[in-house]
Amino acid sequence: MDLTKMNAALQELRSKYAVANNGEIIAAPCGDMGAGAILKCCCGKSIPLLPWRKERRFFELKNLVDTHTLEDVSTLRFAWIASEKTLSQLLYRELDLCEYIGESPIVSIFATLGGDKTANAIVKLADTKSCSVECSAGLPKGAEEIDKHEIIARRGIGCDRVVDSQIPMSSIYEFTQEGEKRFTDVDTELYGFSTEEIWLIRAAFEVLSKPELADIWIKADASIRKKVAAALETEKKGAVALFGKED
């Protein structure tokens, strides 16, 4: 990540939309299970960034639940396969998405692990929704990430991927003698940044625009860290990890 350019873009957005609150995106500690960056506000508060909550596809899935377009949601099926991430980082995002899209806190988790590379977790939300979470950090270095998020309801199914697709699709494909290249623009104001950088910038801007999000994200971060740590211990202990609705 180029934090210098990211912060310059953040300041441009602040100026364009007249956002008074100020802050700086800084790198998270090495090996941290979060998104890899933190927003350091001018007031001194450090806010963990949850950039997936700003991704359009996840917001739209949540909207399907919010508006009851999908009636009586019963199951969330999530999968994320990556290369240069730890199992903790993969579970951190997916468990947060379970609560964010499912609109209910996690009350139980049991996970089976394949060393430090793969995990299959069964998650139960407080409102009885079930979640199936599959994570793998086993892709070769440099390989494009693969993920899929599906909502199953009594009436209707929602998914962030095109029907019957197995891997994420790109907007433009270039085939040359040097190999294949793919291009997908996801933001009309942040050209030149990677997708990961774009959502981190957007997440930081969202917190500066809506200061009330700071405490919400701080609380969510603390809760998900606790649940990831517990999930990774369930197979060893041979017992389901249980949580209260306020955990």
Side-chain angles (χ1 to χ4, degrees), residues 44-175:
K45 184 179 288 187
S46 295
I47 302 156
L49 296 176
L50 306 176
W52 40 87
R53 294 193 178 196
K54 283 300 297 172
E55 285 196 48
R56 181 64 180 267
R57 59 188 175 126
F58 296 136
F59 180 84
E60 292 297 344
L61 283 178
K62 178 177 171 58
N63 192 48
L64 292 175
V65 178
D66 289 346
T67 60
H68 302 289
T69 302
L70 299 178
E71 298 180 5
D72 298 331
V73 174
S74 63
T75 307
L76 308 180
R77 295 177 58 188
F78 294 171
W80 189 14
I81 305 171
S83 58
E84 298 170 48
K85 294 188 183 298
T86 66
L87 198 54
S88 294
Q89 289 172 323
L90 299 177
L91 283 169
Y92 179 93
R93 188 188 83 167
E94 298 307 299
L95 294 184
D96 184 59
L97 284 173
C98 285
E99 295 193 338
Y100 175 67
I101 295 175
E103 297 189 320
S104 183
I106 292 170
V107 292
S108 72
I109 304 174
F110 186 84
T112 57
L113 309 181
D116 61 352
K117 291 294 185 181
T118 62
N120 290 330
I122 299 299
V123 179
K124 181 73 74 174
L125 304 186
D127 64 358
T128 74
K129 293 188 188 78
S130 296
C131 310
S132 168
V133 177
E134 301 175 40
C135 294
S136 172
L139 284 181
K141 185 176 181 179
E144 184 178 359
E145 295 181 355
I146 300 171
D147 66 355
K148 188 173 185 179
H149 300 79
E150 186 176 14
I151 304 174
I152 300 171
R154 179 180 62 81
R155 181 179 179 186
I157 295 175
C159 188
D160 63 344
R161 297 298 176 198
V162 177
V163 176
D164 292 333
S165 65
Q166 297 297 314
I167 60 175
M169 301 180 70
S170 299
S171 300
I172 299 173
Y173 294 81
E174 181 183 53
F175 301 97

